[in-house]
């Protein structure tokens, strides 16, 4: 089914177009097959390849459940952007920490950007594609009208990386990336079938360019010329008169010259203009119709003012040595899913004969059609009565035993599926928790699931670090975020299995009171355990504002009233208010009232 070059019937006629590279045909066909399993259409694809029983295939959603379950455990309860050093609370009595302040500022900016760009939703889109197909793709683009970076996810079937000739390790970052797909014809609008291709390419920095048009009205980019007809450089670029190399200093690398930039091209080609000599890597530039960005810039090798390609490929698994692509979570259990579908198909057939059994009659007087004189068809219905002769009998075909056996086989296949996919029966929800002797036994049963999630997250951790670094640098290139070296930021995944919060709380309390954990670490552990803590620094401030016992010990240790007020989050004391005098030495003795009668509510009188 996944072989597009199979002779005879195949289900992927649209892949046999001139612009699709031959080396990518099988990968794109595999994506389509995996998507068919996800949408319960594998039987239809099998019928299209010549399997006449494919339309009878019963598909009850097991592949989709497997994908969604794996995705849920991968993502965990939540995803949080964390910049190391950003959760340290500020203290007035300490010197300002510029690194901590920069980290806190970056963390706040990244989280605000994530809210605007719906980052959790984009992660769901990309990661579900990665779990199903083995690959997911993010693309970042600067939007001048919104003054922020836009985050988009692409179908991995649109993704065509291109490496330099002779590159031995395809796991290295490609020097050129294409996104290409077909646009169908629209007779109402008078549009023909087209191919759209978006290209990101690293190359040397050139002269400044501006939007222009050809004689036939097509938009292009033209080199800007000075008064004497010489090319003009972009503001901030420098030209080496000896080598002829143009260099610039990027905001994230102050003091370091770079001669590399990224060019963006977004164009369309008519399908009728493409022949067998053209593929996605060699579309003719003379036939291209370039698109225009929202700010009027023609996207014909537009200088993006960055020295990296703003595209991040997400593999579902750790790629093999020299490999670029990941592996689908369905790949290792596709045969099991076929066996489940076949067993469900057989169960449906057996249940039909069990619910409506086949009846054999002997010696029965069947009703006769008076108009034709032929026996009427016999049907088994409630209340039906047949008259049998003395030697007559009625037999039924009992298939309930076969149906029970098929049901047991379904359970066996589900257990095998849980084992081979490493989701475990506990992870798939087929384990009877009441039969688990202890929580430790349940934890051991979830061991394969823990290793699966750990490997999948390991394959993604550095990818999201790279994504957040690109977000920071593109905002710096857009001159809306302060310049400076890039700070590390990472995406923290939530707990993927239920956590014993009581145990975590007891450990955190004992560790903090015993001086083993800092307050920052303790609050972070509670946040990762699922407690509703949105911001660690804010939670620490709330805790300290109510820590009167610790404030009293701080006053005893330092004698500094200003430090105590700062620890409690109170404003500085008014200097015009005199301090409350403290009694030192021996405690005061109660005074003896004067002799005579004393009026409690008035002056004393003799």
């Amino acid at each position: 089914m996944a072989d597009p070059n199979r002779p005879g019937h195949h289900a992927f006629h649209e892949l046999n177009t001139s612009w699709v590279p031959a080396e990518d045909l099988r990968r794109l066909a595999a994506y389509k097959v995996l998507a068919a399993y996800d949408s319960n259409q594998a039987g239809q694809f099998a019928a299209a390849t010549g399997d006449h029983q494919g339309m009878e295939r019963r598909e009850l959603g097991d592949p989709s459940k497997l994908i969604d379950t794996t995705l849920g455990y991968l993502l965990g309860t939540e995803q949080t952007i964390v910049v190391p050093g950003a959760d340290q609370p500020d203290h007035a009595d300490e010197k300002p920490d510029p690194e901590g302040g920069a980290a806190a500022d970056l963390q706040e900016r990244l989280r605000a950007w994530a809210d605007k760009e719906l980052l959790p939703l984009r992660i769901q889109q990309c990661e579900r594609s990665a779990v199903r197909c083995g690959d997911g793709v993010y693309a970042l683009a600067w939007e001048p009208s919104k003054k922020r970076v836009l985050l988009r996810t692409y179908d991995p079937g649109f993704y065509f990386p291109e490496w330099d000739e002779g590159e031995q390790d395809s796991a290295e970052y490609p020097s050129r990336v294409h996104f290409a797909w077909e646009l169908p014809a629209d007779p109402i609008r008078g549009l023909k079938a087209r191919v759209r291709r978006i290209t990101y390419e690293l190359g040397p920095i050139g002269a400044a360019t501006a939007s222009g048009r050809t004689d036939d009205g097509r938009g292009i980019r033209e080199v800007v010329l000075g008064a004497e007809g010489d090319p003009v450089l972009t503001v901030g670029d420098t030209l080496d008169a000896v080598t002829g190399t143009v260099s610039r200093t990027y905001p994230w690398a102050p003091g370091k010259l770079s001669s590399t930039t990224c060019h963006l091209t977004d164009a369309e080609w008519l399908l009728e203009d493409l022949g067998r000599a053209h593929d996605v890597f060699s579309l003719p530039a003379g036939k291209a119709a370039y698109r225009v960005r929202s700010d009027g810039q023609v996207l014909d090798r537009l200088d993006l003012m960055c020295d990296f390609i703003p595209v991040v490929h997400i593999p579902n698994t750790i790629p093999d040595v020299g490999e670029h692509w990941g592996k689908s979570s369905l790949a290792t259990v596709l045969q099991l899913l076929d066996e489940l579908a076949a067993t469900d198909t057989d169960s449906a057939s057996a249940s039909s004969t069990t619910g409506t059994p086949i009846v054999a009659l002997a010696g029965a007087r069947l009703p006769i059609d008076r108009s034709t004189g032929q026996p009427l068809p016999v049907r088994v219905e409630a209340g039906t009565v047949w008259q049998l002769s003395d030697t007559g009998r009625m037999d039924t075909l009992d298939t309930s035993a076969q149906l029970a056996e098929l049901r047991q086989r379904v359970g066996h296949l589900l257990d095998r599926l849980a084992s081979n996919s490493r989701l475990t029966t506990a992870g798939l929800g087929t384990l009877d928790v009441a039969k688990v002797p202890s929580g430790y036994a349940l934890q051991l049963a979830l061991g394969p699931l823990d290793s699966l999630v750990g490997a999948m997250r390991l394959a993604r951790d550095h990818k999201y670090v790279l994504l957040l670094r690109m977000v920071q640098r593109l905002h710096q290139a857009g001159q809306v975020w302060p310049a400076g070296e890039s700070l590390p930021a990472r995406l923290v995944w939530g707990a993927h299995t239920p956590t014993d919060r009581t145990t975590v709380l007891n450990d955190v309390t004992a560790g903090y009171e015993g001086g083993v954990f800092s307050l920052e670490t303790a609050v972070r552990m509670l946040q990762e355990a699922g407690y509703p803590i949105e911001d660690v620094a804010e939670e620490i401030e709330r805790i300290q504002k109510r820590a009167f016992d610790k404030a009293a010990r701080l006053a005893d240790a330092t004698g500094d009233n200003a430090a105590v007020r700062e620890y409690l989050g109170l404003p500085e004391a008014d200097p015009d208010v005199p301090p409350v005098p403290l009694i030192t030495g021996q405690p005061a003795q109660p005074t003896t009232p004067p002799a005579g009668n004393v009026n409690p509510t008035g002056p004393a009188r003799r």
Side-chain angles (χ1 to χ4, degrees), residues 5 37 56 80 146 220 255 275 378 390 396 488 511 548 553 581 585:
N5 299 318
Y37 274 88
E56 303 297 328
T80 308
K146 296 183 179 180
I220 59 172
V378 179
D390 294 340
T396 60
F548 300 111
R553 289 197 294 269

Side-chain angles (χ1 to χ4, degrees), residues 205 221 234 248 261-264 301-306:
I205 302 174
R221 297 199 68 80
T234 305
R248 70 169 59 123
T261 188
C262 181
H263 298 98
L264 170 63
R301 289 186 59 83
L302 175 66
D303 191 344
L304 296 181
M305 304 298 292
C306 61

Side-chain angles (χ1 to χ4, degrees), residues 358-362 393-397:
I358 301 175
V359 179
L361 292 175
R393 73 179 188 275
M394 179 179 65
D395 300 324
T396 60
L397 179 61

